Amino acid sequence: MLLKLEYFDLKAVAELARLIFAYADEKYEDVRVSSESWPAKKPSTPLGQMPVLVLENGEEFAQSVAISRYLAHKFGIAGKTAEEKLLCDMVVDTVKVDIWKLVVDVYLEKDESVKAQKIVEATPKIEQFMQKLEKYVRGTDTVLASGFSWADLALFNAVNDLFPVVKIQLDPGLKKLHAVVKRARTEPKIAAWLAERPDTVI
């Protein structure tokens, strides 16, 4: 039985896990749950939310970052030392908690004038997070000195999939982060996934 990842037909909080699967070249079931079928499914999920990762033995687990962390460890891209793992966690949490909160607040806003103001307010906060993360890039084109990790994929996910929602681009002066994002984007298995994945807004 293959691992199964269940989520809506969106990138959102499940895309980092999908990117990890793609980079590891691991087959899995990418189950896209419709909004119509979600209410009936919701009570049977571990925490009443998605994504849900179903293991080979049928056990189910929730929480997007926990799922991605598990996959990163399973596929060997979580860092070589305790300190590298800590650095990965710091980068990923910044993207998937702090930056994600700002992006989703903009995305869910229906009033266009309020949305525009939220973009103005979110932009310097996101830029400040990225400026701070630039200082923690240890490799030439990877966050870790030891090589590619899920932290690189998290940064790519932020710049490629989240930044367009708030209509910002990565500061050209953040050369280390640009190198990290470029490396991730040009990884053959990541490029293949980007070409085949469903086109969704977020």
Side-chain angles (χ1 to χ4, degrees), residues 123-142:
T123 296
K125 295 176 183 177
I126 293 172
E127 289 175 341
Q128 186 176 57
F129 278 128
M130 299 307 282
Q131 288 163 5
K132 291 181 182 299
L133 290 178
E134 169 88 355
K135 300 172 184 177
Y136 285 92
V137 176
R138 310 297 196 207
T140 304
D141 54 6
T142 57

Side-chain angles (χ1 to χ4, degrees), residues 102-161:
L102 294 165
V103 170
V104 79
D105 187 46
V106 170
Y107 175 72
L108 294 175
E109 179 57 58
K110 303 301 182 186
D111 185 306
E112 290 302 319
S113 62
V114 176
K115 184 189 287 279
Q117 182 57 37
K118 286 187 174 183
I119 289 175
V120 169
E121 294 169 358
T123 296
K125 295 176 183 177
I126 293 172
E127 289 175 341
Q128 186 176 57
F129 278 128
M130 299 307 282
Q131 288 163 5
K132 291 181 182 299
L133 290 178
E134 169 88 355
K135 300 172 184 177
Y136 285 92
V137 176
R138 310 297 196 207
T140 304
D141 54 6
T142 57
V143 171
L144 303 182
S146 64
F148 201 84
S149 71
W150 70 309
D152 303 315
L153 291 173
L155 287 167
F156 169 74
N157 180 214
V159 174
N160 192 72
D161 300 325

Side-chain angles (χ1 to χ4, degrees), residues 25-162:
D25 200 22
E26 291 285 338
K27 294 186 183 303
Y28 71 106
E29 291 185 56
D30 183 14
V31 179
R32 308 278 174 141
V33 178
S34 69
S35 55
E36 293 77 16
S37 63
W38 170 236
K41 181 178 177 58
K42 183 176 180 177
S44 67
T45 60
L47 298 176
Q49 61 189 38
M50 292 194 293
V52 170
L53 182 70
V54 184
L55 304 187
E56 295 94 332
N57 64 3
E59 280 193 284
E60 298 184 357
F61 294 89
Q63 294 293 358
S64 60
V65 177
I67 289 169
S68 295
R69 183 180 294 111
Y70 167 79
L71 296 174
H73 280 278
K74 185 177 180 70
F75 303 141
I77 56 169
K80 305 295 185 188
T81 65
E83 290 72 25
E84 283 199 335
K85 291 171 185 175
L86 177 61
L87 177 53
C88 280
D89 286 347
M90 186 186 81
V91 171
V92 172
D93 284 350
T94 302
V95 170
K96 304 306 287 183
V97 177
D98 298 304
I99 293 176
W100 169 253
K101 250 189 267 184
L102 294 165
V103 170
V104 79
D105 187 46
V106 170
Y107 175 72
L108 294 175
E109 179 57 58
K110 303 301 182 186
D111 185 306
E112 290 302 319
S113 62
V114 176
K115 184 189 287 279
Q117 182 57 37
K118 286 187 174 183
I119 289 175
V120 169
E121 294 169 358
T123 296
K125 295 176 183 177
I126 293 172
E127 289 175 341
Q128 186 176 57
F129 278 128
M130 299 307 282
Q131 288 163 5
K132 291 181 182 299
L133 290 178
E134 169 88 355
K135 300 172 184 177
Y136 285 92
V137 176
R138 310 297 196 207
T140 304
D141 54 6
T142 57
V143 171
L144 303 182
S146 64
F148 201 84
S149 71
W150 70 309
D152 303 315
L153 291 173
L155 287 167
F156 169 74
N157 180 214
V159 174
N160 192 72
D161 300 325
L162 302 184

